[in-house]
Amino acid sequence: MNRLGRVVLALAIVGGTLGWYVTRPVTLPETVSERLTGDAQAGERIFLAAGCASCHMGTEDDADPLVLSGGAQFETHFGTFYAPNISPDRDHGIGGWTQADFLDAVMRGVSPQGQHYYPAFPYTSYAKADPQDMADLYEYMMTLPADATPSRDHDLGFPFNIRRSVGVWKALFMTRDWAVTGDLTAEETQGRYLAEALAHCAECHTPRNALGGMDRARWLEGAPNPSGSGRIPAIVGDDFSWTAFDISAYLETGFTPSFDVAGGSMSKVIANLGQLDKAELDAIAAYILRAADE
Amino acid sequence: MGFYKTLYGAALVAAFAAPALAQDMNAIEARQGQFKLYGHNIAVLGGMAQGRMDYDAEMAQTAADNLFHLTRHDQSRLWPEGTDSSMVMETRAKAEIWENLDDFTAKFVALQEASAALQGVAGDGLDALRPAVGAVGASCGACHEDYREES
């Protein structure tokens, strides 16, 4: 082998090893889960705020939002994602998961088999959550009814069908930094936690780049519908003139200030969020208005 | 290049947003007017439920009566085939309506039932009004969720 060949080979090995290292699924340190004891009752509120049922409940019209049998379909330009069964069924759901498995899934996007999840699952938001809340959520979800509907494989094109490629995506786009920073009131801080870490408003209301990474410079400025036609509206900026009362009342009742009624995926979001305390909805509203000042 | 782009753009507009037939536009505008009138009355009922205005039994009852009668308007001429959002720019009614007419109809009947229940309790005080308004809103939302295009 000539000198150039050796250099190329050496670079390929270094590059490949580095790439393999960078794209590896990274879990939480074991000590995080070990020191946590979840409380199922406290987890109900987290479940509603995090909106798990919006995507993971069954697709029938009369589906029970507490039976997380999955099946909802999300057509994107990467391919079609199917929400999996996350009911506590041992064979088809997450009934066999430990608390540590659950925390790695929701906060790091890594499956119990050590593979990346696709970020259609909003672990990029849940990564900002308090691990105690996620431990509570785990305990609560384990109390829900088990369902034996098998999960459906995603139907994605190359190279997105290679799960390892999600490691590149995470390296490029996954951050645990708050989008809205600076001096926040206690109410705004609570709202930021609810909106950014749990309710994951930005996942749909913030535009994304060609690879599906959020354009954080345009936080909540509205975006094309990620799984269908039309647009998800801006909830900051000149075209959005709702008051805190309007936002909170909308999240509670589904009525806009002009008494239109939420549709699309937002109706499921409201079905969950509307069950939170009014003070929590007011906090989300305060945060949204604060985000407009960024 | 510019010319072809223009031509291509014009072809797209022609293909996807052909001007609707006059009688179809009438139907679209009429059904949109009907929904505006629903909203006009829900503004009173929802406004009281949300605490935007004080509860007034007479006003609430009138609005609920209106909504009851509005939701009895015969729908058979309001939804001609081909008046969906893939064909006509001015509507957000999804083509899925015509693919699932039974379900669409069932959701409309649910609205009729919820508005009848609301009419029955609207004058009985705020505590009676609130859940009944919520149920009407939920029936609106159930249909919007499946059959109305994002704006």
Side-chain angles (χ1 to χ4, degrees):
Chain A
M1 195 181 282
N2 63 22
R3 198 180 137 84
L4 179 66
R6 281 202 300 274
V7 170
V8 168
L9 183 67
L11 283 176
I13 290 171
V14 171
T17 312
L18 202 66
W20 194 249
Y21 179 76
V22 168
T23 61
R24 79 203 188 285
V26 184
T27 56
L28 285 164
E30 276 170 32
T31 49
V32 173
S33 180
E34 278 167 7
R35 63 182 162 77
L36 295 173
T37 309
D39 171 1
Q41 212 181 339
E44 182 183 11
R45 189 190 136 260
I46 306 301
F47 179 77
L48 294 170
C52 313
S54 299
C55 290
H56 288 281
M57 64 188 279
T59 54
E60 323 80 70
D61 253 348
D62 55 349
D64 180 344
L66 297 183
V67 180
L68 305 176
S69 53
Q73 187 173 328
F74 304 90
E75 282 172 39
T76 73
H77 58 265
F78 306 105
T80 303
F81 295 98
Y82 296 94
N85 180 336
I86 57 166
S87 78
D89 186 83
R90 285 197 80 81
D91 298 320
H92 299 287
I94 63 170
W97 289 20
T98 64
Q99 186 203 70
D101 290 339
F102 183 82
L103 261 62
D104 285 333
V106 295
M107 301 191 69
R108 290 296 178 271
V110 178
S111 73
Q113 292 76 34
Q115 284 196 311
H116 291 299
Y117 285 120
Y118 291 101
F121 169 28
Y123 53 78
T124 43
S125 293
Y126 303 147
K128 300 175 182 178
D130 178 348
Q132 179 63 55
D133 283 347
M134 296 296 113
D136 293 346
L137 176 61
Y138 169 78
E139 291 300 332
Y140 174 73
M141 285 175 62
M142 288 300 163
T143 69
L144 297 178
D147 179 281
T149 308
S151 295
R152 201 166 154 183
D153 287 339
H154 303 314
D155 184 10
L156 306 174
F158 181 83
F160 309 112
N161 54 354
I162 302 173
R163 281 188 184 263
R164 192 81 189 194
S165 66
V166 176
V168 179
W169 190 94
K170 285 180 178 174
L172 289 173
F173 305 122
M174 192 162 164
T175 168
R176 271 174 278 152
D177 295 338
W178 300 112
V180 174
T181 54
D183 284 334
L184 303 187
T185 65
E187 188 182 42
E188 288 164 353
T189 307
Q190 185 196 10
R192 179 175 68 178
Y193 180 73
L194 288 165
E196 289 195 28
L198 299 181
H200 60 276
C201 316
E203 298 278 349
C204 290
H205 286 280
T206 296
R208 291 171 184 273
N209 60 29
L211 288 174
M214 269 191 225
D215 181 354
R216 287 165 61 94
R218 294 195 282 157
W219 195 250
L220 305 179
E221 290 182 13
N225 183 358
S227 56
S229 50
R231 284 188 67 80
I232 308 295
I235 49 174
V236 296
D238 295 341
D239 294 335
F240 183 76
S241 54
W242 293 17
T243 64
F245 183 98
D246 293 339
I247 299 169
S248 179
Y250 174 70
L251 295 177
E252 185 190 7
T253 64
F255 291 116
T256 70
S258 55
F259 289 93
D260 189 3
V261 176
S265 31
M266 197 63 196
S267 58
K268 285 209 176 70
V269 173
I270 287 171
N272 294 304
L273 281 184
Q275 298 180 58
L276 294 184
D277 291 342
K278 189 66 177 156
E280 293 175 304
L281 301 181
D282 288 345
I284 294 175
Y287 163 82
I288 300 282
L289 294 182
R290 182 67 175 70
D293 299 336
E294 288 292 295
Chain B
M1 184 61 198
F3 172 73
Y4 285 110
K5 242 186 192 164
T6 310
L7 194 67
Y8 180 62
L12 270 183
V13 170
F16 292 109
L21 299 170
Q23 68 266 31
D24 285 352
M25 271 321 291
N26 283 341
I28 291 171
E29 284 172 9
R31 74 192 185 214
Q32 288 173 345
Q34 147 183 286
F35 290 124
K36 285 214 173 77
L37 281 171
Y38 293 176
H40 190 66
N41 288 285
I42 292 172
V44 171
L45 299 157
M48 289 176 189
Q50 285 185 339
R52 287 174 193 271
M53 57 173 93
D54 291 338
Y55 175 75
D56 177 305
E58 201 178 322
M59 265 181 84
Q61 192 60 59
T62 303
D65 289 345
N66 285 344
L67 188 66
F68 174 86
H69 290 295
L70 285 165
T71 56
R72 263 66 195 166
H73 182 94
D74 173 64
Q75 299 291 304
S76 58
R77 288 166 53 237
L78 288 179
W79 305 91
E81 261 197 80
T83 59
D84 61 76
S85 59
S86 72
M87 304 293 285
V88 186
M89 265 170 61
E90 289 85 352
T91 180
R92 288 162 71 192
K94 285 184 169 180
E96 280 88 336
I97 290 172
W98 288 267
E99 292 160 17
N100 306 293
L101 267 182
D102 285 351
D103 183 56
F104 182 70
T105 306
K107 288 188 160 75
F108 194 83
V109 170
L111 166 68
Q112 292 181 318
E113 288 168 358
S115 63
L118 174 60
Q119 186 190 30
V121 300
D124 298 347
L126 189 57
D127 289 341
L129 177 80
R130 292 193 75 192
V133 172
V136 167
S139 73
C140 301
C143 198
H144 293 173
E145 184 176 342
D146 291 342
Y147 297 120
R148 186 173 71 169
E149 204 78 68
E150 300 280 359
S151 50

